[in-house]
Amino acid sequence: MLNNIKPKTGRLLISEPFMADPNFKRSVVLLTQHDDDGSVGYILNQIGNLILSDIMQDLWEGNNHIYFGGPVATDTLHFIHRCYDKLQSGEPIGNGLYWGGNFETLKILINTNAISEEEIKFFMGYSGWDDGQLDRELEQNSWMVSDVSNPDIIFNVDDEKLWRDVIVNLGPKYAHVSNFPSDPSLN
């Protein structure tokens, strides 16, 4: 394995630099579920071309960008937030972060500008692994795992820099990986 940190809810998966799957190329995935049933997460650094009000007609506000959460159920909308005090709902995933919540309350909060983009992130689709699948991918060195020590990283809007920064935060042993070219044949 590329590192010895085990996956669990609230941790990050970082794709290895030359991952062949285009869905996860240079991706950082926040795990929102990791148990005996499998794993669920959202790609944090693949911003889409839509904003929230493009897909939800009953929003007056809603300029939040929508991210590609993963290749599963790409016709569904999901969100991660750190505003439980306002939304009063969501599944805790650690570090003051929550997965999902009451969507009707969320729409009211968005329309009244009570939630900022730094508090919530939206995703179309999700990333999912069956029981044992993620463990096999880790054994094949497809992913590195990181603790999220700073929840601000989840709401980072510099997508290209996020992958590199998360690797560098793993420590000096891994920092050189962040400098690998995305296409080694161009080197």
Side-chain angles (χ1 to χ4, degrees), residues 64-130:
N64 302 68
H65 287 94
I66 299 178
Y67 287 74
F68 173 70
V72 181
T74 57
D75 60 343
T76 59
L77 183 66
H78 308 265
F79 61 98
I80 304 295
H81 66 91
R82 58 175 168 185
C83 51
Y84 189 88
D85 57 324
K86 297 173 186 177
L87 197 54
Q88 293 296 303
S89 60
E91 290 295 316
I93 55 177
N95 249 352
L97 299 172
Y98 296 85
W99 172 26
N102 184 308
F103 216 86
E104 293 307 312
T105 301
L106 177 62
K107 287 192 286 189
I108 293 167
L109 293 169
I110 289 171
N111 278 331
T112 59
N113 289 313
I115 292 182
S116 72
E117 280 193 65
E118 294 80 33
E119 295 177 295
I120 194 162
K121 198 165 195 172
F122 292 91
F123 305 91
M124 291 299 289
Y126 65 92
S127 302
W129 294 265
D130 290 333

Side-chain angles (χ1 to χ4, degrees), residues 1-12:
M1 289 180 29
L2 287 170
N3 67 347
N4 294 322
I5 301 173
K6 301 289 183 202
K8 75 176 199 178
T9 299
R11 291 197 170 158
L12 298 176

